[in-house]
Amino acid sequence: MDLHIINIGVVKTLSGSTIENGNALPSLRKKNLTKPMTIMTFLTFLPTWFKFYGLPGPVRFIIYLLWQRAAAFGHKLHKKLVLQGVKLDRELVRKAKLPEGVLSRRLVMFRYHYRISAFENIKYRLALLQGKVYRPKVKPVHDEDRRSMALERLDPNEYDPTSDPWPTA
């Protein structure tokens, strides 16, 4: 297959031969613009087509309103779950006889804003059950979030309440 370089009015192939007056241009354009439809391109095309052309505007608006209600309900539910998790953490700290400084508002806010995964929460609570302190890994907001990168370097089993990186007050 010859690759073609197109200048104004002249098509040059890499082999050095030239085609003048654009005789080969229609076939080149046709080759570049038409690609066969695959199953994956069809599966990605179909939902978007249906969303914009298959559903009338009023139906799309009703779906939008329902989605907004579901998102608001999900937000309230997430907030309740985070607050219940705080109560659970407080009980685990009390039963493990750890200092109250283990709990922090910053950790709760990280949970509330989805910066700590569910798996990290489970590891944190299992460590509290064993009487250890585990600092969950925090997803940085930006790549250069130096504070959370510094927190990941802490040894989770060594806890000194005087140098807590997440102060409670």
Side-chain angles (χ1 to χ4, degrees):
M1 178 175 166
D2 258 349
L3 293 175
H4 297 84
I5 300 171
I6 300 173
N7 281 339
I8 300 172
V10 177
V11 177
K12 292 184 178 182
T13 63
L14 289 181
S15 61
S17 61
T18 60
I19 304 169
E20 294 188 21
N21 297 329
N23 291 336
L25 287 180
S27 65
L28 288 175
R29 286 188 186 134
K30 190 174 183 182
K31 285 180 187 174
N32 289 340
L33 292 179
T34 57
K35 294 183 179 178
M37 176 79 70
T38 64
I39 293 174
M40 287 308 295
T41 56
F42 179 72
L43 291 178
T44 56
F45 161 78
L46 189 62
T48 306
W49 179 87
F50 183 75
K51 178 180 167 185
F52 290 108
Y53 297 107
L55 292 175
V59 174
R60 279 193 312 233
F61 183 68
I62 291 171
I63 291 172
Y64 166 76
L65 290 177
L66 292 174
W67 182 257
Q68 290 298 317
R69 293 269 174 109
F73 175 75
H75 177 73
K76 287 180 184 176
L77 181 66
H78 175 67
K79 187 176 182 179
K80 285 182 183 178
L81 288 174
V82 167
L83 292 175
Q84 288 297 323
V86 170
K87 291 178 184 177
L88 176 66
D89 292 345
R90 183 172 222 118
E91 277 301 308
L92 290 174
V93 165
R94 187 183 62 76
K95 286 184 179 180
K97 297 179 182 167
L98 292 170
E100 283 289 321
V102 172
L103 301 173
S104 69
R105 293 178 192 158
R106 186 177 174 91
L107 183 63
V108 173
M109 292 307 289
F110 282 158
R111 282 188 195 144
Y112 181 66
H113 292 288
Y114 299 99
R115 289 188 60 194
I116 297 177
S117 67
F119 183 65
E120 289 292 316
N121 275 328
I122 291 170
K123 286 181 5 183
Y124 173 74
R125 291 188 177 126
L126 286 174
L128 287 179
L129 275 173
Q130 295 170 357
K132 298 178 184 175
V133 177
Y134 174 76
R135 297 289 181 199
K137 293 179 183 164
V138 178
K139 297 177 203 169
V141 176
H142 304 290
D143 289 337
E144 298 174 6
D145 191 354
R146 291 182 180 90
R147 175 118 172 112
S148 63
M149 286 190 283
L151 292 175
E152 289 175 3
R153 279 186 254 130
L154 294 175
D155 185 9
N157 294 321
E158 292 180 10
Y159 176 71
D160 182 12
T162 58
S163 65
D164 190 7
W166 291 330
T168 56

